[in-house]
Amino acid sequence: MIPITGAILTYNEEAIITKTVNHLKSYVVDVIVADTGSTDRTIERAKEAGGRIVNLKWQNDFALLRNQVLGEVKTEWCLYCDADERYSAELLSLLPSLYEYSLNNQDMSAFYFWRISVFDNEGRGEEYQPRLIKAKDCLWTGKVHEGLETKGKRADVPKSFVLWHEHTMARQRWNNLLYQRLQKGEDRPPANIGAEERNGKWVEFENERDK
């Protein structure tokens, strides 16, 4: 394992949090699960999987939340992973090289990964996202669709190393409603809307692309 901390932000992710923690913990020295008031078994399952629970108050601000997580990081570098994201095996295997590169290039502050979004098995977008960042050099900004300010340089990892963002369109509709509410200064939608349910059951990843 390399001296990098994994960080997962959660809110009612009991269906997938075990897989997300397990996805990271073989590659990093610590996995933070930053929970923002889950009412299901997210925390219980994250603990069972080996995650370090950090309870944070939800204040309708994603950047504030991510910056608070940085304050809990005990290593120089932090690898963010949303609960519904999976790093490809190729990208995870690249982490030691990226870390070694950072040791030889102290002005590096962030690595951006190519993220492909797939909702209900249909491609919905591709973009670079900041995911591996040097904690002391970075600051998140913006309540919604937050951006990253860095003291040093950033680098885009080649697109062949993929970060998969995969869930259901029902979940995405809930996310879109969340973003709309935050932009209006309102609180997030209630969890019981059931955006992650299909036929009365919680949906898990259908394609574990990194296996």
Side-chain angles (χ1 to χ4, degrees), residues 17-57:
I17 188 57
T18 298
K19 289 184 178 180
T20 310
V21 173
N22 288 333
H23 177 66
L24 295 180
K25 70 180 185 181
S26 296
Y27 294 87
V28 299
V29 297
D30 187 21
V31 178
I32 293 174
V33 177
D35 192 75
T36 59
S38 291
T39 56
D40 61 3
R41 298 178 62 197
T42 296
I43 293 178
E44 177 185 349
R45 292 185 175 180
K47 285 182 178 179
E48 291 173 351
R52 175 163 64 94
I53 308 302
V54 175
N55 292 296
L56 297 175
K57 181 181 179 182

Side-chain angles (χ1 to χ4, degrees), residues 6 16 25 34 65 85 140 171 185 210:
I16 55 178
K25 70 180 185 181
L65 178 61
E85 292 180 339
W140 294 94
R171 180 186 177 106
D210 57 334

